[in-house]
Amino acid sequence: MGVGGARCVRRRLTALRLSALAAVVALLCVFAGTPAAGAVDDPELTPFYQQTLSWEPCGQDLQNGAQSDGASQPPGFRERLECARMEVPRDYANPKRSTMQVQLIRLKATGPGEHLGSLVINPGGPGASGVNYLIDSGNAFARLNQRYDIVSFDPRGTGHTEPISCGSKLTTGGDDSLATKEKHINEACGRYSGGLLRWVGTPDVARDMDVLRAAVGNDKLNYLGFSYGSKLGAVYAHEFPDKVGRMVLDSVEDPTKNTWQTALAQARGFQRALDDFAADCLQGVGCPLGGDKRQAQEQLRTWYQELSERPMKVKGETVDETTYVYALREALYSRSDWPQLRQALAQLRRGDAAGILRLSESGGGSAARTVPAPQVGRDELPPQDQLALRAISCRDTSERYGADDYPRAERELTKASPLFGPDIAPLLLDCYGWPVAGDDSSRVVAAPDAPPLLLVATSNDPATPYEGAFNMARELGNSSVVLTFHGEGHAAYTTGDLCVQRHVDDFLLNGVLPKAGTSCG
């Protein structure tokens, strides 16, 4: 689950998102077109497993949703994309009652070398569009794409797969309190998407992935999942241990923590990353934070207070304390963004907030990023991807915190991080008055009969703290291996570290799992 919003007017991180990149070991290569790929025990599900997908060039309406204009991809990249719709039951217990169409996208393998079938990827969230992610970032998997078809999808409730709708305007009845607003948002979601909300949980999406595995003709699921995608992969391994192929989970979510504990861990994680950025800045010449650690922390808090009391304007856009914290958080996803953050803070010291605004709008394209969120006014609803995050997260937990819990949450989170804590605290109200019940079944990931997965963990990952990968490995109970990346940021495979990429690629392409205790960076 991701870090979320701030106050009555707030931005939300929708795909934090990327909360674990784990690799799953497969003992056999996956080949397309084998009869066993469509086999299923329940005869009512057989038509879904044996369906033929009609792949065709992706329409412009699909491609328009991506962040990239294609300039960052090699020539002809977008022309190689193919799209299809896959039919799945809305309720797997009653497959004949109602169905939905899952939007798929793929990049056909380019060769040379033996074709290994399909590699399914998930960018995290929950709520992020896998279709947009592949359009924006598919070239990051160019080596894997030589031997795999790279396949992604919009999970139910997101993107082009029956997106969650909560109407267009919000009526609060004059009560502007945060808790009341959250409750009214949730009531609106129930009115507009009440028939869908029960069926968007991670276990249902994992079942969709098994239909996808069969529909593309694979005996086993080969998979690469980031952040929340690690949770999805682990739940799949729990539900279908005999169908697990080579599976990698990067930036691993911790299945042993509940929503409250996750929020605290993220507040501490982002504070640690900010402290590391400040220490690095102070080692250089002309750091805008001052001359020592104490001055740096004071300056960071001073800017927060000043923007809270006197927001700045940049080309008609308001830059307030929420924008400021959002910009800090975006830059802490990757160490490569630290120079840009340093420059933005130097501008802010001169009274120019343009760099802060630019950073706050920079997320979305890669698995390590969040989808940029506009400011949400009193009568406005969050963007659709954030509503999807809320719907999936609330279906995946039995926790329901309300107005009486919020003061303690804000105190505890502010103690964990004076800057990030107040911004993360509203996340705990996301399920206040949610119209359908949730459960904790998605935290059960035991898969002792599945082959080992590869879990990739960054030592200073702010969004999915390092220890979560080891807790995941223990809960899986199948000798999964943790590959450590000693560094900063989220989603290690996409940071460009050649050591991490070599181990992940070697596992996915050749089935070679690194030895326990292996590290990079």
Side-chain angles (χ1 to χ4, degrees):
M1 180 181 296
V3 180
R7 325 221 174 207
C8 295
V9 178
R10 59 184 181 151
R11 292 170 187 261
R12 296 298 305 271
L13 291 180
T14 67
L16 241 205
R17 310 205 156 342
L18 296 148
S19 85
L21 173 2
V24 175
V25 176
L27 299 178
L28 299 173
C29 294
V30 176
F31 297 94
T34 57
V40 61
D41 293 334
D42 185 347
E44 290 191 347
L45 292 176
T46 298
F48 300 100
Y49 275 79
Q50 294 184 347
Q51 66 186 288
T52 300
L53 300 175
S54 298
W55 295 100
E56 56 187 28
C58 298
Q60 196 59 45
D61 61 324
L62 288 171
Q63 300 208 33
N64 286 344
Q67 297 290 317
S68 170
D69 60 3
S72 61
Q73 306 293 1
F77 172 82
R78 286 210 171 191
E79 288 72 18
R80 291 201 298 118
L81 293 166
E82 298 178 318
C83 288
R85 303 283 279 180
M86 179 181 73
E87 188 173 18
V88 296
R90 182 178 297 260
D91 175 9
Y92 276 90
N94 298 283
K96 291 184 177 180
R97 179 176 298 175
S98 178
T99 65
M100 65 173 65
Q101 301 287 322
V102 176
Q103 182 64 56
L104 311 178
I105 189 169
R106 76 173 175 185
L107 274 173
K108 288 281 287 183
T110 60
E114 180 183 38
H115 186 226
L116 299 178
S118 295
L119 175 69
V120 176
I121 62 174
N122 181 277
S129 166
V131 170
N132 290 348
Y133 177 62
L134 189 59
I135 294 172
D136 286 330
S137 306
N139 196 47
F141 310 101
R143 184 161 181 252
L144 297 170
N145 193 206
Q146 290 180 355
R147 297 177 64 190
Y148 281 108
D149 295 337
I150 306 297
V151 177
S152 193
F153 66 102
D154 286 348
R156 46 177 72 199
T158 74
H160 295 270
T161 302
E162 289 207 26
I164 298 295
S165 173
C166 304
S168 57
K169 286 291 182 181
L170 181 65
T171 302
T172 61
D175 186 344
D176 290 338
S177 69
L178 178 61
T180 298
K181 180 177 180 180
E182 296 303 308
K183 190 172 183 180
H184 281 294
I185 289 173
N186 295 343
E187 289 170 349
C189 295
R191 288 194 299 272
Y192 285 88
S193 292
L196 175 62
L197 298 180
R198 289 181 60 195
W199 315 114
V200 298
T202 300
D204 283 316
V205 179
R207 299 201 67 170
D208 293 344
M209 281 211 303
D210 197 53
V211 174
L212 173 58
R213 170 199 60 77
V216 297
N218 287 3
D219 285 332
K220 306 281 186 179
L221 177 71
N222 294 328
Y223 177 80
L224 175 57
F226 299 89
S227 197
Y228 164 79
S230 68
K231 174 181 178 177
L232 177 58
V235 170
Y236 180 90
H238 172 72
E239 293 189 357
F240 303 99
D242 60 327
K243 298 299 183 184
V244 171
R246 297 169 185 172
M247 188 173 285
V248 177
L249 312 180
D250 191 342
S251 304
V252 184
E253 284 202 4
D254 189 337
T256 68
K257 285 184 168 57
N258 62 21
T259 305
W260 191 294
Q261 293 164 337
T262 297
L264 278 170
Q266 289 181 342
R268 294 176 182 129
F270 277 98
Q271 186 61 53
R272 262 195 319 268
L274 185 63
D275 292 345
D276 284 355
F277 162 77
D280 181 77
C281 180
L282 291 170
Q283 291 177 6
V285 177
C287 175
L289 298 178
D292 58 37
K293 180 178 179 180
R294 181 188 60 79
Q295 291 176 355
Q297 296 301 327
E298 280 186 6
Q299 182 61 73
L300 288 165
R301 288 193 294 269
T302 296
W303 281 324
Y304 179 91
Q305 190 62 36
E306 288 176 348
L307 288 170
S308 174
E309 296 170 355
R310 296 180 300 279
M312 294 182 179
K313 288 286 185 180
V314 178
K315 296 181 179 179
E317 296 284 337
T318 299
V319 178
D320 58 11
E321 80 282 11
T322 302
T323 317
Y324 170 69
V325 172
Y326 194 92
L328 293 177
R329 207 160 48 195
E330 282 297 299
L332 296 176
Y333 275 111
S334 173
R335 190 183 181 105
S336 64
D337 289 333
W338 285 11
Q340 188 180 354
L341 176 58
R342 177 177 169 143
Q343 182 181 12
L345 294 175
Q347 284 180 268
L348 187 61
R349 195 173 188 109
R350 298 192 299 268
D352 180 4
I356 293 297
L357 180 63
R358 223 171 11 250
L359 268 175
S360 74
E361 296 173 340
S362 67
S366 77
R369 298 292 185 184
T370 66
V371 178
Q375 298 236 6
V376 179
R378 184 181 66 183
D379 299 324
E380 297 177 45
L381 289 158
Q384 194 280 324
D385 52 5
Q386 298 175 21
L387 294 172
L389 181 150
R390 181 184 299 236
I392 297 166
S393 299
C394 292
R395 183 64 188 88
D396 277 358
T397 182
S398 62
E399 297 167 83
R400 296 292 186 262
Y401 300 112
D404 292 342
D405 303 296
Y406 187 72
R408 181 169 71 92
E410 192 168 39
R411 283 196 306 272
E412 289 189 11
L413 287 163
T414 301
K415 183 178 180 181
S417 171
L419 278 177
F420 298 109
D423 191 57
I424 293 173
L427 171 71
L428 294 173
L429 292 176
D430 270 7
C431 302
Y432 181 39
W434 190 248
V436 301
D439 62 54
D440 301 312
S441 60
S442 63
R443 289 174 57 195
V444 180
V445 296
D449 297 326
L453 315 189
L454 176 59
L455 313 182
V456 184
T458 300
S459 60
N460 199 22
D461 185 331
T464 52
Y466 178 62
E467 63 273 11
F470 294 91
N471 291 338
M472 175 68 82
R474 186 181 66 250
E475 294 298 305
L476 286 166
N478 64 342
S479 302
S480 289
V481 173
V482 176
L483 171 65
T484 294
F485 172 53
H486 293 287
E488 307 284 340
H490 191 55
Y493 185 81
T494 64
T495 64
D497 183 80
L498 296 180
C499 173
V500 171
Q501 292 176 350
R502 176 170 55 84
H503 282 297
V504 171
D505 290 351
D506 201 22
F507 175 58
L508 290 173
L509 294 172
N510 304 311
V512 179
L513 198 64
K515 294 180 180 179
T518 300
S519 64
C520 296

